[in-house]
Amino acid sequence: GQNIDQPTEMTATEGAIVQINCTYQTSGFNGLFWYQQHAGEAPTFLSYNVLDGLEEKGRFSSFLSRSKGYSYLLLKELQMKDSASYLCAVRGGGNKLVFGAGTILRVKS
Amino acid sequence: ETGVTQTPRHLVMGMTNKKSLKCEQHLGHNAMYWYKQSAKKPLELMFVYNFKEQTENNSVPSRFSPECPNSSHLFLHLHTLQPEDSALYLCASSQELAGGSDTQYFGPGTRLTVL
């Protein structure tokens, strides 16, 4: 079966660091994606990991451990505009993307 | 601006109506997708087209009928829908139907309400 788990909601303070976790169980693995989705808008691509380790892109970093079926998205120097839903998606066997339900991040001042 | 547009952005329809959703991508991609997004649920893949050919129908009821006349346009024809079909319908495109880092780019979605 295919299963992607991420926390439903998180709250963090402006300027802080927040880590959004994602665990997955899929048939096959061909990469993991993170998307950001503001309310009423399109999901937008943030990052792609296929090898173990940390990928850094400005204030956002994404980590992958394939042996543990685990990834996290790290957001530094949080800004109010980072309030959004963050979607974890795994490309499994057959190359289909399987999405988690998303984590709603609320950034407070 | 993601290069994928969808119209209409909002649609309210009765269960006996027939309507169509339109998606257009300006990215030169060859694969297009329809997803359904319900509140607090994962995105559900509905249909996949690659080079205008349907390659995936994820057990979607026949009241949803996709059409892909060319690689830039994708339609979802709706008829005799049920209230539980109310959701955000997202269109996406990618360079081609491949593995690896082939990234899907999404449109803003059509918010559908079935009365």
Side-chain angles (χ1 to χ4, degrees), chain A residues 84-96:
Chain A
S85 182
Y86 291 86
L87 311 178
C88 174
V90 174
R91 172 164 280 138
N95 290 322
K96 284 196 296 187

Side-chain angles (χ1 to χ4, degrees), chain B residues 61-77:
Chain B
S62 59
R63 57 185 184 270
F64 295 91
S65 174
E67 178 189 1
C68 187
N70 55 61
S71 292
S72 298
H73 294 86
L74 185 64
F75 296 89
L76 188 62
H77 304 299

Side-chain angles (χ1 to χ4, degrees), chain A residues 8-76:
Chain A
T8 304
E9 295 183 12
M10 299 182 71
T11 301
T13 305
E14 193 175 17
I17 299 173
V18 70
Q19 178 175 311
I20 302 174
N21 296 324
C22 172
T23 57
Y24 63 89
Q25 294 170 316
T26 56
S27 303
F29 180 81
N30 289 303
L32 184 144
F33 295 78
W34 284 97
Y35 283 83
Q36 178 192 61
Q37 186 178 22
H38 285 101
E41 297 183 15
T44 55
F45 169 74
L46 289 178
S47 68
Y48 169 74
N49 294 68
V50 67
L51 299 177
D52 290 352
L54 188 68
E55 295 277 346
E56 297 188 72
K57 198 185 287 188
R59 292 190 300 114
F60 292 11
S61 302
S62 55
F63 172 83
L64 175 67
S65 168
R66 288 171 297 170
S67 62
K68 296 182 179 178
Y70 168 68
S71 173
Y72 66 73
L73 182 69
L74 192 71
L75 291 76
K76 303 176 186 175

Side-chain angles (χ1 to χ4, degrees), chain B residues 2-18:
Chain B
T2 65
V4 181
T5 58
Q6 291 185 243
T7 55
R9 293 294 309 276
H10 300 272
L11 178 62
V12 179
M13 58 187 290
M15 289 190 286
T16 59
N17 291 156
K18 290 185 181 180

